Amino acid sequence: MTSVREWEDKRRLEILDLFMTHVYGRTPSEKITVSYTLLSCNPKALDGKATCKQVLFSFTNGEKEIEAILLLYIPNLVKGKAPVFVGYNFMGNASTTLDPTIYHSPGLRFVYGKDSPVWKRGAQKNRWCFDQILERGYAVATMCYHDIYPDQVGMRDYSVASLFSDYIPRSRKHDEWEAIGVWAWGASRIVDYLVQEDRIDMDRIAIVGHSRQGKAALWAGAQDMRFKVVISNESGCGGAALSKRVYGENIARITTDFPYWFCPGFSRYAGNEEELPFDQHELLALIVPRYLYVASAEGDWWSDPKGEYLSAYYTKDIYQLYGMNGLESAELPFVNQPILSDVGYHIREGKHDITDYDWECFMNFCDLHLK
Ligand code: GTR
């Protein structure tokens, strides 16, 4: 690749097409109608630190409707427009905080029975350090990914994919989009909504995702240039990790355990990774010229930290083409020593999770590029 022009007019589009054909499926271009209803607005949430809004999204094709709820915190200390982190949660909006006014997410009911611990308020509040994020002047927009596509086998009819005019319930078309593709699409719909929030800066949007949501965040970032920073936390196989290393989770395993995440064509590479006509670093290269952050955890061999690092490292030529700085060394850095360049990376101690430390690194990276 010798010029930005050649990259943007040709190679970038070819790579995008490869990922649609072989990994995530084709994202439809059809527009689905969405209406927004403000469910609540608390100007003094989190001890006055934030304005908290809950917004009901109703996606419809005229016959059928699917509901999702966005939870949005806007920092009161920021006088003008604030930068924002967009990211899905796993267990519903009410799991991210103990605040009793936060609604349970509608999609949870498709996946969890009444007795499930997911209904407990704050069940995953350790993954959302709202106080610190708001104190540092960032807004947060989160939604439960089950609202967009309930994360379980056989849920396609309850996902927003079912609203599209060419929807075939059990389609096994080679490049049929599936859960990750649909989650990525949904993340862009959150951005569509944010346009009308005059305290949110549309030029300073970061997308963040952990694990399966890290995969979706990368795919959303690859397709939607409005994401200026793209953060993948321990996204592993089918995310940041190189597939051809076949280390930790592999394509055979992931397409067996989660047959509804990737397009059917991805299974063709199960046990056959060397036949893939590309690898995941090319997905990461689609983030250029925006800023990319990849994070791993030492105890998370299943996500292959080294494969995640190398994948980020191999984007360096494309960053260079834009006069930007990728990662310098092919050696994995030491634990808890983040690299903050135009591409960022850290490997922290501990297990598969998203922690306050991870968030602190993401915010340091965003301070450099979004402030
Ligand atoms: C695992 C899966 C990973 C990762 C993870 C998660 O079971 O094997 O690919 O997505 O779940 O989302 O926490």
Side-chain angles (χ1 to χ4, degrees), residues 90 210-213 215 235 237 249 254 258 261 302 352:
F90 283 72
H210 169 62
S211 205
R212 61 198 73 184
Q213 287 314 321
K215 308 180 210 291
S235 59
C237 179
E249 190 171 31
I254 203 166
F258 306 101
W261 279 4
W302 190 238
H352 185 68

Side-chain angles (χ1 to χ4, degrees), residues 296-299 332-338 346-350 357:
S296 310
E298 197 186 17
L332 193 66
F334 292 117
V335 167
N336 299 345
Q337 296 201 5
H346 75 251
I347 175 164
R348 64 157 168 78
E349 60 189 25
Y357 177 82

